[in-house]
Amino acid sequence: MGRWEPGARERLVVAAVDLFAEQGYDATTVAQIAERAGVTKSTFFRHFPDKRELLVAGQETLSRLLTEGIADAPGDASPLEAVAAGLERASSAMGPMNRELAPRLKAAVAASAELQERDALKSVSLAAAMTTALVARGIPDPTAALAGELGVLAFKRGFAQWSEGDRDGKDELAGYTLAALAELRAASASLG
């Protein structure tokens, strides 16, 4: 087992998702994940405090990209235009590995109440990050909170559609998240 091999974090995520899909979250141990990834248990714990945290690997990066995109949006951008800028920035970080793992991760989450809870907390955290970034732009809190929630919904809907699409396709996630945001914007206008 290579102690400092490059890509250990990514290999741990892939190994965990595969094991969760094969035998269930509860039946999967940290030792099994480390073994499948070709690393030691101590290497696992250098990257993750526990197996639950594998689900949210990359969440900090995703939050940072969303908030940077919102902060860098033009000064005259509406709240949803700023969210769209955040979605574009965050979507750029998602590549073929994310697309490939998505269906297995979705199945693992669906089969585990603990993972469903962790996934819900991830959504809350992403919405809070976007809300904070919008408030920093001078958007009133209720408007910022609504735009942040719509941003999370758009990201989740767009990601689901993208991950279920053509695995060999070269289409980018951003097109899906922005289309989902446009659909949600239209849907919210009809609430009247």
Side-chain angles (χ1 to χ4, degrees):
M1 286 191 214
R3 187 169 166 185
W4 295 102
E5 287 182 40
R9 183 177 179 85
E10 292 79 12
R11 288 196 323 273
L12 285 163
V13 171
V14 171
V17 169
D18 287 345
L19 286 166
F20 294 165
E22 291 168 17
Q23 62 191 31
Y25 173 78
D26 292 331
T28 300
T29 66
V30 168
Q32 290 171 324
I33 295 168
E35 181 179 336
R36 174 80 61 101
V39 300
T40 63
K41 275 178 60 175
S42 61
T43 298
F44 176 95
F45 289 115
R46 268 196 291 282
H47 292 283
F48 302 100
D50 58 44
K51 68 179 183 178
R52 213 176 18 157
E53 292 304 308
L54 286 157
L55 177 67
V56 293
Q59 179 178 342
E60 290 170 11
T61 301
L62 185 58
S63 287
R64 179 180 50 79
L65 292 170
L66 286 165
T67 58
E68 286 174 358
I70 290 170
D72 292 345
D76 63 346
S78 72
L80 287 181
E81 289 168 343
V83 166
L87 290 172
E88 277 191 280
R89 176 87 50 98
S91 296
S92 70
M94 299 289 175
M97 183 178 115
N98 300 96
R99 194 174 205 173
E100 182 184 324
L101 286 178
R104 290 178 281 171
L105 186 57
K106 181 179 176 182
V109 169
S112 168
E114 187 174 346
L115 291 180
Q116 290 171 21
E117 181 180 305
R118 191 65 185 100
D119 190 49
L121 288 173
K122 177 182 173 181
S123 294
V124 169
S125 175
L126 292 174
M130 284 192 276
T131 300
T132 300
L134 289 164
V135 168
R137 289 178 60 89
I139 307 299
D141 189 71
T143 304
L146 181 58
E149 292 290 341
L150 285 173
V152 169
L153 285 173
F155 186 82
K156 290 177 85 166
R157 289 172 62 95
F159 186 83
Q161 291 170 343
W162 175 69
S163 65
E164 293 166 3
D166 180 10
R167 300 248 182 286
D168 297 327
K170 301 295 182 204
D171 50 343
E172 299 288 326
L173 173 58
Y176 289 86
T177 58
L178 295 177
L181 184 62
E183 290 172 5
L184 292 168
R185 172 184 258 170
S188 64
S190 71
L191 295 174

